[in-house]
Amino acid sequence: MGTVRHNEGMEISARTEYAVRAMLQLAEASRAQDVPVSTDALARAQDLPRKFLESILTDLRKAGLVYSTQGARGGYQLARPAAEIGVGAVIRAVDGPLAEVRGRRPQDTTYDGVARHLPELWVAVRASLRQVLDATSLEDLLTGELPAPVRELLTLPDAWQNR
């Protein structure tokens, strides 16, 4: 008999999770005092590994989502208001495209025979991720006021159940 494989489905990487948590911390800081937050302070506030966080912050800076200032009072700040930064942009900055099929963009896949329509499904999956992740801003997450389409998904009967 074959081996039963339990796949957990789409996995949010530690890199993505840490990036979103750090960005939320910066968003909260910008609301409170709008001063740079040091890497150490970010790491402590979210209990993140400092070295890993440094690498993530570099990616976020290169993507234009944060900027850094040097010196004793230096640190990181959001490059624009939290309401203008979608979670999808954060994910792309640290982990690349939202959806790939074995390293290829969904629209670049091709199949023969019975699987010929599979690229359409992969593109739709990517579009659904965009609808949730690009429509949800850091501000939405801070306030808990998620966009209506996201809130609707949370009310589906099986939304909170594993399958």
Side-chain angles (χ1 to χ4, degrees):
M1 198 162 219
T3 303
V4 176
R5 184 171 168 223
H6 296 282
N7 188 344
E8 296 299 322
M10 180 182 166
E11 183 177 329
I12 306 298
S13 71
R15 189 171 190 78
T16 287
E17 181 193 358
Y18 293 174
V20 173
R21 289 169 56 195
M23 292 293 282
L24 286 169
Q25 197 68 44
L26 290 174
E28 180 66 26
S30 72
R31 293 169 114 199
Q33 55 199 0
D34 201 27
V35 295
V37 180
S38 72
T39 305
D40 285 336
L42 280 172
R44 279 193 311 275
Q46 286 296 313
D47 193 27
L48 303 175
R50 187 185 190 289
K51 282 292 190 190
F52 196 23
L53 180 58
E54 286 175 356
S55 171
I56 291 167
L57 289 167
T58 297
D59 288 344
L60 293 169
R61 186 179 48 76
K62 287 178 182 175
L65 298 176
V66 300
Y67 66 91
S68 62
T69 53
Q70 302 297 317
R73 299 181 136 206
Y76 290 87
Q77 289 178 274
L78 296 181
R80 52 187 191 270
E84 296 177 17
I85 300 174
V87 175
V90 176
I91 294 171
R92 286 181 194 94
V94 299
D95 264 346
L98 293 179
E100 288 187 329
V101 180
R102 297 186 318 139
R104 293 182 295 168
R105 301 292 173 102
Q107 72 273 13
D108 295 335
T109 60
T110 57
Y111 304 93
D112 295 325
V114 295
R116 70 184 171 280
H117 299 292
L118 202 47
E120 296 165 22
L121 179 66
W122 299 151
V123 169
V125 167
R126 180 181 60 192
S128 69
L129 287 171
R130 286 177 177 170
Q131 280 186 323
V132 172
L133 298 172
D134 289 340
T136 305
S137 72
L138 295 175
E139 183 70 21
D140 296 333
L141 285 174
L142 274 181
T143 64
E145 295 176 22
L146 300 174
V150 176
R151 285 194 320 270
E152 288 174 28
L153 290 170
L154 293 171
T155 66
L156 293 175
D158 63 349
W160 295 86
Q161 298 172 0
N162 293 337
R163 287 208 257 179

